Amino acid sequence: MLRKISVVAASFLSVITTYAQKNKNSQLERPKLVVGLVVDQMRWDYLYRFYNKYSNEGFKRLLNTGYSLNNVHIPYVPTVTALGHACIYTGSVPAIHGIAGNDWTDKETGKNVYCTTDESVKPVGTANARVGSHSPKNLWSTTVTDELRLATNFQGKVVGVSLKDRASILPAGHTPNGAYWFDDSSGSFITSTWYMNDLPQWLKSFNALNLPDKLVANGWNTLLPISQYTESSPDNSSWEGLLGSAKTPTFPYSNLAADYQAKKDNIRYTPFGNTLTLKLAEAAIEGEKLGGDDVVDMLAVNLASTDYAGHKFGPNSIEVEDVYLRLDQDLAQFFNYLDNKVGKGKYTVFLSADHGGAHSVGFLQEHKITTGFFGDGIEANMNQKLKEKFGVDKLINGVDNYQIYFDRKLLKENKLVLDEVRDFTVQEIENDPNDLYAVSVTKVQEATIPEPLKQRIINGINRQRSGDIQLISHDSMLPPYAKTGTTHSVWNSYDSHIPLIFMGWGIQHGASDKAYHMTDIAPTVSSLLKIQFPSGNIGNPITEVTGK
């Protein structure tokens, strides 16, 4: 009798074990952690311009083990930071997600609006309201990070980190566990009351390390002997800007430590800003226990020093090359950290950029490539012509994002018809051979503008927040403030062609030259995680990266 009971019990235990194993195998599989790395102002060609000097564990690890999309473009104008981060994480465009620029002109008041400023929230970690009073309230669409929070009933954690407020806030979405950015007045990372009323202890401990002071203590010299920077122009080129107290744009920057103490934003223009950000990312993983359980978490990291260095020195400077070589080393260390902390093969990384950057005007002139400056004095010149035509001064109250804004109050007071004023302005601008196109935002479809430029204008115009006329410059024309270094904003490939590489859990190795858009990133991550697409998404999953 006992033997029969033992046999039945053993059989029952076997059935239970088999059922449990089958049930375990049938559970939804996801990575433990998704890390989004957005390298600010990273042109696609940087992957290969500096390829021979990269290590095997940074950018080359992404290329050699991940899936690289080589023909990804931004499907809207203007191509600027806030729009890039919003697009990557919403899968949408300014016409829908509401972020019309880093800033824009309010059509009713004529006042400047910064994309993340929110006077209803207070700074946390600083007394500086200008730096700390920020939130994602101006973002109308959900992000893939929001959708992860919703899909996991807010058990999956989300954190955003960057030197820039907008590049932390917009990727992290509306519902994160935290979004943190750098305060130049204190040299610490901060947040706002949108997220919490006090900094978490792990961030207080991180700030207490005074890591920026340590990173800049020995100044900035080239990683390699300067003679090996053969991919860049000679040091001290005329089109480079100056850093801190330096009299020339040349290595070594021996006064960096003192310059940082005098003005803490100087760290932003050096490779050490990226190092600092990745160390913060590691502290966030430790402090929030990201990737520490079976519920997938997400970490949005913006590496902003590449943008600051690009603006300051230009794409062909030794400074920018050194920033990328040092970033390559930082990425190698970060991937090694993820391997050890989360587990190799248990996390997914994607690397992309919010926009690219043009060659410096001086550099192009030096090499006999057509270039110049665009838009200098356009507001004053057009206001004078409008006054002569309509008898009213200062009808234009702003030129932002290559867009002209008209003063609605003046138009109404003087009983002027917006369309008449707008059409006259378009005609006057197009009579100037220095301008390629000027188009009324209400008449883009009927304008004689080729694709894909026409669609990019439509995607970039937000009915409530964008201007009344979109300006398009000739190729390689920069705004007048970019006398040294460079900038970005336009539809051309140097600004719109971005890298996109996926690596890790669920990703096969390979590469593709098929055409994709920045809007395809969010739905690809959503599909990988089996969560809903963001609310304003217009992109499509890139099935090549998963082999499905």
Side-chain angles (χ1 to χ4, degrees), residues 516-528:
Y516 292 102
H517 293 115
M518 179 187 270
T519 47
D520 297 327
I521 300 173
T524 301
V525 175
S526 297
S527 293
L528 186 73

Side-chain angles (χ1 to χ4, degrees), residues 255-310:
N255 293 329
L256 181 59
D259 288 340
Y260 172 73
Q261 295 304 325
K263 196 175 181 183
K264 290 184 167 53
D265 77 330
N266 279 310
I267 195 174
R268 295 174 181 264
Y269 302 91
T270 76
F272 310 120
N274 289 333
T275 307
L276 177 65
T277 303
L278 286 172
K279 289 302 178 185
L280 176 64
E282 291 179 7
I285 292 171
E286 296 281 349
E288 298 291 346
K289 297 181 173 55
L290 302 181
D293 56 27
D294 292 332
V295 182
V296 60
D297 302 318
M298 195 159 180
L299 175 64
V301 182
N302 167 240
L303 299 160
S305 287
T306 43
D307 182 66
Y308 288 106

Side-chain angles (χ1 to χ4, degrees), residues 104-121:
W104 55 84
T105 299
D106 185 280
K107 289 184 176 182
E108 298 304 320
T109 66
K111 294 181 179 179
N112 181 266
V113 178
Y114 181 69
C115 60
T116 57
T117 294
D118 183 354
E119 294 179 355
S120 71
V121 301

Side-chain angles (χ1 to χ4, degrees), residues 19-39:
Y19 174 80
Q21 186 63 43
K22 286 182 178 180
N23 191 51
K24 180 180 179 181
N25 292 339
S26 67
Q27 289 180 346
L28 180 64
E29 293 186 0
R30 289 171 171 157
K32 288 182 173 294
L33 177 66
V34 175
V35 179
L37 297 171
V38 179
V39 185

Side-chain angles (χ1 to χ4, degrees), residues 55-67:
S55 69
N56 289 325
E57 299 302 320
F59 286 114
K60 283 184 181 177
R61 176 173 172 181
L62 287 161
L63 291 168
N64 295 336
T65 67
Y67 200 95

